[in-house]
Amino acid sequence: MAPALRVGGLVPLTTLDFPDHLACVFFCQGCGWRCRYCHNPQLIPACGTSELAWADLLGFLRERVGLLEAVVFSGGEPTLQHALPDAIEQVRALGYKVALHSAGIKPKLFRQVLPLVDWVGFDVKATPERSRSITGVPGSGEANWQSLLYLLDSGVAHECRTTVHWQLFEPDELWNMARRLRTLGVQRFAVQCVRTARMLDPDLADSRPPYDQQKLWERLDQLFPSFVLRG
């Protein structure tokens, strides 16, 4: 029997995580990166302390056929688990659409599941050269941007988004990265201002915005066909 997907948490109803769909979110257990601002550090270990049985999650979905429209696989990082493609297939067999939240940590598996999903929320950590300062892991930038190229080539509907802590990002760095994304063909870009209530790195200070923050948002709004700011 194939191993079941390890899921460390569930949001039973959301309208935010898959645009224009009533969905639930499965938070996949495990992440290979150590982003300093991570607000779900309990999902980083490969084995969690409060995992949900996959059979129970399928039962939850069967009871909500016709009520929910979609399932979002988030994390942690879903592409670390080889059980992900089979889990997606089981969810689709129940009639649900599928969204994936990912940073593409494992480009090969990320590319494998792209034909199985309807929408991707893709986390761009930083430019490839600076990603290690966010993730703490060598080679993370190369993996992140290789998966981005796979996503752009796939034709799957998506949003690229970047979480910003102003102690880790200079405004010019964010602007230059955004221009790079636009050159690659990214249409929809979101900036997510970090949640400082709980972060993996307790030494990070509050994320105080730069004085020219509003000007930056206006420039990004002009750069992309669709730009979203999430506080």
Side-chain angles (χ1 to χ4, degrees):
M1 180 181 295
L5 193 73
R6 305 186 77 101
V7 176
L10 164 70
V11 171
L13 179 64
T14 175
T15 59
L16 301 176
D17 294 276
F18 185 176
D20 304 318
H21 290 78
L22 288 174
C24 65
V25 183
F26 292 170
F27 290 97
C28 299
Q29 188 70 38
C31 185
W33 294 349
R34 299 295 183 269
C35 297
R36 296 176 63 190
Y37 50 65
C38 178
H39 66 276
N40 283 325
Q42 77 281 2
L43 293 172
I44 291 177
C47 298
T49 58
S50 57
E51 291 186 25
L52 305 172
W54 180 246
D56 292 342
L57 291 169
L58 288 178
F60 167 87
L61 293 179
R62 291 188 186 100
E63 292 176 354
R64 285 157 180 80
V65 170
L67 301 175
L68 291 175
E69 300 172 286
V71 176
V72 179
F73 290 86
S74 188
E77 171 53 52
T79 67
L80 287 180
Q81 298 196 46
H82 292 287
L84 180 63
D86 184 58
I88 292 175
E89 294 279 19
Q90 292 180 59
V91 167
R92 296 195 71 91
L94 293 174
Y96 290 99
K97 291 185 177 181
V98 172
L100 174 69
H101 291 182
S102 176
I105 287 181
K106 294 295 184 183
K108 184 177 180 181
L109 186 57
F110 179 78
R111 189 182 193 181
Q112 179 184 346
V113 300
L114 280 174
L116 306 178
V117 303
D118 301 286
W119 186 83
V120 175
F122 189 82
D123 295 311
V124 182
K125 297 300 181 181
T127 59
E129 301 79 17
R130 287 205 64 253
S131 292
R132 184 176 180 177
S133 67
I134 304 290
T135 68
V137 176
S140 56
E142 290 78 0
N144 191 206
W145 283 67
Q146 180 59 66
S147 291
L148 172 62
L149 294 178
Y150 287 150
L151 174 61
L152 295 174
D153 188 54
S154 72
V156 175
H158 63 275
E159 167 190 277
C160 291
R161 62 268 193 103
T162 296
T163 300
V164 172
H165 189 302
W166 289 117
Q167 191 175 327
L168 303 176
F169 257 106
E170 293 292 336
D172 286 346
E173 292 173 341
L174 181 59
W175 171 248
N176 290 333
M177 188 194 76
R179 289 196 302 170
R180 202 159 165 177
L181 292 172
R182 187 70 190 99
T183 299
L184 289 175
V186 172
Q187 299 282 323
R188 179 178 172 86
F189 181 57
V191 168
Q192 303 177 149
C193 297
V194 70
R195 306 173 189 174
T196 58
R198 179 176 61 166
M199 294 184 288
L200 177 64
D201 184 351
D203 294 328
L204 274 183
D206 286 340
S207 181
R208 297 184 180 181
Y211 72 92
D212 56 352
Q213 184 184 29
Q214 186 57 41
K215 292 180 181 179
L216 176 59
W217 304 150
E218 292 171 358
R219 294 167 73 194
L220 290 171
D221 191 48
Q222 294 173 0
L223 179 64
F224 291 96
S226 176
F227 171 68
V228 181
L229 176 64
R230 300 191 180 109

mmCIF file of all heavy atoms in Angstrom, residues 180-205:
data_model
loop_
_atom_site.group_PDB
_atom_site.id
_atom_site.type_symbol
_atom_site.label_atom_id
_atom_site.label_comp_id
_atom_site.label_asym_id
_atom_site.label_seq_id
_atom_site.Cartn_x
_atom_site.Cartn_y
_atom_site.Cartn_z
ATOM 1 N N ARG A 180 12.082 41.367 -12.563
ATOM 2 C CA ARG A 180 12.567 40.095 -13.098
ATOM 3 C C ARG A 180 11.401 39.138 -13.332
ATOM 4 O O ARG A 180 11.336 38.448 -14.362
ATOM 5 C CB ARG A 180 13.553 39.501 -12.098
ATOM 6 C CG ARG A 180 14.524 38.493 -12.636
ATOM 7 C CD ARG A 180 15.688 38.432 -11.673
ATOM 8 N NE ARG A 180 16.516 37.269 -11.879
ATOM 9 C CZ ARG A 180 17.631 37.034 -11.177
ATOM 10 N NH1 ARG A 180 18.009 37.887 -10.255
ATOM 11 N NH2 ARG A 180 18.340 35.952 -11.415
ATOM 12 N N LEU A 181 10.474 39.091 -12.376
ATOM 13 C CA LEU A 181 9.297 38.240 -12.537
ATOM 14 C C LEU A 181 8.446 38.684 -13.719
ATOM 15 O O LEU A 181 7.963 37.861 -14.503
ATOM 16 C CB LEU A 181 8.451 38.274 -11.255
ATOM 17 C CG LEU A 181 9.064 37.626 -10.008
ATOM 18 C CD1 LEU A 181 8.200 37.907 -8.790
ATOM 19 C CD2 LEU A 181 9.249 36.130 -10.207
ATOM 20 N N ARG A 182 8.285 39.973 -13.852
ATOM 21 C CA ARG A 182 7.463 40.496 -14.949
ATOM 22 C C ARG A 182 8.097 40.168 -16.296
ATOM 23 O O ARG A 182 7.392 39.831 -17.267
ATOM 24 C CB ARG A 182 7.273 42.010 -14.793
ATOM 25 C CG ARG A 182 6.296 42.591 -15.807
ATOM 26 C CD ARG A 182 4.879 42.145 -15.522
ATOM 27 N NE ARG A 182 3.960 42.504 -16.607
ATOM 28 C CZ ARG A 182 3.563 41.692 -17.552
ATOM 29 N NH1 ARG A 182 3.971 40.418 -17.557
ATOM 30 N NH2 ARG A 182 2.727 42.094 -18.489
ATOM 31 N N THR A 183 9.423 40.255 -16.372
ATOM 32 C CA THR A 183 10.133 39.922 -17.610
ATOM 33 C C THR A 183 9.911 38.467 -17.994
ATOM 34 O O THR A 183 9.820 38.127 -19.185
ATOM 35 C CB THR A 183 11.637 40.203 -17.454
ATOM 36 O OG1 THR A 183 11.827 41.596 -17.186
ATOM 37 C CG2 THR A 183 12.405 39.833 -18.714
ATOM 38 N N LEU A 184 9.797 37.602 -16.994
ATOM 39 C CA LEU A 184 9.545 36.175 -17.260
ATOM 40 C C LEU A 184 8.108 35.920 -17.696
ATOM 41 O O LEU A 184 7.792 34.832 -18.167
ATOM 42 C CB LEU A 184 9.855 35.341 -16.015
ATOM 43 C CG LEU A 184 11.320 35.183 -15.634
ATOM 44 C CD1 LEU A 184 11.449 34.445 -14.315
ATOM 45 C CD2 LEU A 184 12.096 34.456 -16.731
ATOM 46 N N GLY A 185 7.234 36.900 -17.488
ATOM 47 C CA GLY A 185 5.848 36.743 -17.914
ATOM 48 C C GLY A 185 4.831 36.638 -16.800
ATOM 49 O O GLY A 185 3.653 36.347 -17.056
ATOM 50 N N VAL A 186 5.250 36.857 -15.538
ATOM 51 C CA VAL A 186 4.304 36.790 -14.426
ATOM 52 C C VAL A 186 3.257 37.889 -14.584
ATOM 53 O O VAL A 186 3.581 39.056 -14.788
ATOM 54 C CB VAL A 186 5.040 36.930 -13.077
ATOM 55 C CG1 VAL A 186 4.042 37.069 -11.924
ATOM 56 C CG2 VAL A 186 5.952 35.728 -12.853
ATOM 57 N N GLN A 187 1.981 37.498 -14.482
ATOM 58 C CA GLN A 187 0.871 38.428 -14.665
ATOM 59 C C GLN A 187 0.300 38.917 -13.335
ATOM 60 O O GLN A 187 -0.103 40.075 -13.220
ATOM 61 C CB GLN A 187 -0.256 37.736 -15.450
ATOM 62 C CG GLN A 187 0.145 37.268 -16.833
ATOM 63 C CD GLN A 187 0.186 38.400 -17.837
ATOM 64 O OE1 GLN A 187 -0.642 39.307 -17.799
ATOM 65 N NE2 GLN A 187 1.139 38.353 -18.740
ATOM 66 N N ARG A 188 0.223 38.021 -12.362
ATOM 67 C CA ARG A 188 -0.398 38.351 -11.077
ATOM 68 C C ARG A 188 0.629 38.175 -9.966
ATOM 69 O O ARG A 188 1.198 37.088 -9.794
ATOM 70 C CB ARG A 188 -1.612 37.453 -10.818
ATOM 71 C CG ARG A 188 -2.317 37.713 -9.484
ATOM 72 C CD ARG A 188 -3.533 36.811 -9.331
ATOM 73 N NE ARG A 188 -4.119 36.897 -8.002
ATOM 74 C CZ ARG A 188 -5.024 37.801 -7.626
ATOM 75 N NH1 ARG A 188 -5.441 38.707 -8.493
ATOM 76 N NH2 ARG A 188 -5.509 37.806 -6.400
ATOM 77 N N PHE A 189 0.859 39.249 -9.216
ATOM 78 C CA PHE A 189 1.860 39.233 -8.157
ATOM 79 C C PHE A 189 1.251 39.799 -6.885
ATOM 80 O O PHE A 189 0.535 40.800 -6.920
ATOM 81 C CB PHE A 189 3.080 40.063 -8.566
ATOM 82 C CG PHE A 189 4.181 40.089 -7.542
ATOM 83 C CD1 PHE A 189 4.759 38.911 -7.101
ATOM 84 C CD2 PHE A 189 4.653 41.292 -7.034
ATOM 85 C CE1 PHE A 189 5.783 38.921 -6.156
ATOM 86 C CE2 PHE A 189 5.671 41.320 -6.091
ATOM 87 C CZ PHE A 189 6.243 40.130 -5.654
ATOM 88 N N ALA A 190 1.525 39.134 -5.772
ATOM 89 C CA ALA A 190 1.024 39.578 -4.476
ATOM 90 C C ALA A 190 2.182 39.749 -3.500
ATOM 91 O O ALA A 190 3.110 38.935 -3.478
ATOM 92 C CB ALA A 190 0.021 38.570 -3.908
ATOM 93 N N VAL A 191 2.123 40.793 -2.727
ATOM 94 C CA VAL A 191 3.048 40.988 -1.613
ATOM 95 C C VAL A 191 2.279 40.719 -0.327
ATOM 96 O O VAL A 191 1.203 41.287 -0.105
ATOM 97 C CB VAL A 191 3.640 42.408 -1.599
ATOM 98 C CG1 VAL A 191 4.355 42.676 -0.271
ATOM 99 C CG2 VAL A 191 4.615 42.594 -2.760
ATOM 100 N N GLN A 192 2.835 39.831 0.482
ATOM 101 C CA GLN A 192 2.220 39.479 1.758
ATOM 102 C C GLN A 192 3.093 40.048 2.873
ATOM 103 O O GLN A 192 4.221 39.584 3.071
ATOM 104 C CB GLN A 192 2.096 37.955 1.883
ATOM 105 C CG GLN A 192 1.297 37.339 0.745
ATOM 106 C CD GLN A 192 1.214 35.831 0.811
ATOM 107 O OE1 GLN A 192 0.234 35.232 0.379
ATOM 108 N NE2 GLN A 192 2.246 35.178 1.325
ATOM 109 N N CYS A 193 2.599 41.048 3.568
ATOM 110 C CA CYS A 193 3.348 41.619 4.679
ATOM 111 C C CYS A 193 3.370 40.619 5.828
ATOM 112 O O CYS A 193 2.347 40.046 6.197
ATOM 113 C CB CYS A 193 2.724 42.941 5.113
ATOM 114 S SG CYS A 193 2.785 44.216 3.819
ATOM 115 N N VAL A 194 4.545 40.387 6.365
ATOM 116 C CA VAL A 194 4.763 39.305 7.316
ATOM 117 C C VAL A 194 3.897 39.463 8.565
ATOM 118 O O VAL A 194 3.583 40.575 8.992
ATOM 119 C CB VAL A 194 6.257 39.245 7.700
ATOM 120 C CG1 VAL A 194 6.639 40.445 8.546
ATOM 121 C CG2 VAL A 194 6.600 37.952 8.414
ATOM 122 N N ARG A 195 3.498 38.317 9.118
ATOM 123 C CA ARG A 195 2.823 38.289 10.420
ATOM 124 C C ARG A 195 3.899 38.104 11.486
ATOM 125 O O ARG A 195 4.582 37.084 11.498
ATOM 126 C CB ARG A 195 1.831 37.136 10.486
ATOM 127 C CG ARG A 195 0.812 37.102 9.370
ATOM 128 C CD ARG A 195 0.001 35.811 9.443
ATOM 129 N NE ARG A 195 -0.849 35.618 8.285
ATOM 130 C CZ ARG A 195 -1.556 34.522 8.051
ATOM 131 N NH1 ARG A 195 -1.493 33.513 8.912
ATOM 132 N NH2 ARG A 195 -2.317 34.415 6.969
ATOM 133 N N THR A 196 4.050 39.061 12.362
ATOM 134 C CA THR A 196 5.150 39.016 13.320
ATOM 135 C C THR A 196 4.766 38.406 14.662
ATOM 136 O O THR A 196 5.608 38.265 15.548
ATOM 137 C CB THR A 196 5.706 40.435 13.559
ATOM 138 O OG1 THR A 196 4.652 41.281 14.028
ATOM 139 C CG2 THR A 196 6.288 41.015 12.279
ATOM 140 N N ALA A 197 3.495 38.033 14.839
ATOM 141 C CA ALA A 197 3.064 37.488 16.134
ATOM 142 C C ALA A 197 3.797 36.192 16.470
ATOM 143 O O ALA A 197 4.111 35.915 17.629
ATOM 144 C CB ALA A 197 1.557 37.260 16.133
ATOM 145 N N ARG A 198 4.088 35.373 15.442
ATOM 146 C CA ARG A 198 4.805 34.114 15.654
ATOM 147 C C ARG A 198 5.705 33.874 14.455
ATOM 148 O O ARG A 198 5.225 33.732 13.324
ATOM 149 C CB ARG A 198 3.827 32.953 15.825
ATOM 150 C CG ARG A 198 4.533 31.611 16.029
ATOM 151 C CD ARG A 198 3.553 30.493 16.284
ATOM 152 N NE ARG A 198 2.633 30.271 15.181
ATOM 153 C CZ ARG A 198 1.871 29.177 15.067
ATOM 154 N NH1 ARG A 198 1.922 28.240 15.986
ATOM 155 N NH2 ARG A 198 1.054 29.042 14.040
ATOM 156 N N MET A 199 7.021 33.812 14.706
ATOM 157 C CA MET A 199 7.978 33.585 13.628
ATOM 158 C C MET A 199 8.998 32.548 14.078
ATOM 159 O O MET A 199 9.296 32.428 15.273
ATOM 160 C CB MET A 199 8.682 34.888 13.229
ATOM 161 C CG MET A 199 7.764 35.925 12.609
ATOM 162 S SD MET A 199 8.651 37.408 12.050
ATOM 163 C CE MET A 199 9.065 38.157 13.625
ATOM 164 N N LEU A 200 9.548 31.825 13.128
ATOM 165 C CA LEU A 200 10.543 30.801 13.447
ATOM 166 C C LEU A 200 11.755 31.413 14.134
ATOM 167 O O LEU A 200 12.295 30.853 15.077
ATOM 168 C CB LEU A 200 10.955 30.075 12.166
ATOM 169 C CG LEU A 200 12.048 29.016 12.319
ATOM 170 C CD1 LEU A 200 11.565 27.873 13.205
ATOM 171 C CD2 LEU A 200 12.463 28.486 10.946
ATOM 172 N N ASP A 201 12.207 32.573 13.638
ATOM 173 C CA ASP A 201 13.373 33.254 14.197
ATOM 174 C C ASP A 201 12.907 34.295 15.209
ATOM 175 O O ASP A 201 12.416 35.362 14.833
ATOM 176 C CB ASP A 201 14.169 33.930 13.086
ATOM 177 C CG ASP A 201 15.453 34.583 13.595
ATOM 178 O OD1 ASP A 201 15.632 34.655 14.835
ATOM 179 O OD2 ASP A 201 16.268 35.010 12.763
ATOM 180 N N PRO A 202 13.048 34.020 16.501
ATOM 181 C CA PRO A 202 12.565 34.966 17.511
ATOM 182 C C PRO A 202 13.380 36.246 17.576
ATOM 183 O O PRO A 202 12.966 37.211 18.214
ATOM 184 C CB PRO A 202 12.677 34.166 18.819
ATOM 185 C CG PRO A 202 13.778 33.186 18.568
ATOM 186 C CD PRO A 202 13.684 32.834 17.106
ATOM 187 N N ASP A 203 14.542 36.248 16.919
ATOM 188 C CA ASP A 203 15.401 37.433 16.953
ATOM 189 C C ASP A 203 15.032 38.468 15.898
ATOM 190 O O ASP A 203 15.598 39.569 15.887
ATOM 191 C CB ASP A 203 16.869 37.032 16.761
ATOM 192 C CG ASP A 203 17.391 36.198 17.930
ATOM 193 O OD1 ASP A 203 16.920 36.439 19.067
ATOM 194 O OD2 ASP A 203 18.238 35.322 17.710
ATOM 195 N N LEU A 204 14.116 38.108 15.002
ATOM 196 C CA LEU A 204 13.668 39.096 14.029
ATOM 197 C C LEU A 204 12.857 40.175 14.745
ATOM 198 O O LEU A 204 11.948 39.880 15.511
ATOM 199 C CB LEU A 204 12.797 38.441 12.947
ATOM 200 C CG LEU A 204 13.497 37.815 11.745
ATOM 201 C CD1 LEU A 204 12.461 37.283 10.768
ATOM 202 C CD2 LEU A 204 14.403 38.807 11.039
ATOM 203 N N ALA A 205 13.183 41.415 14.445
ATOM 204 C CA ALA A 205 12.447 42.528 15.045
ATOM 205 C C ALA A 205 11.136 42.740 14.303
ATOM 206 O O ALA A 205 10.827 42.053 13.321
ATOM 207 C CB ALA A 205 13.305 43.798 14.991
#
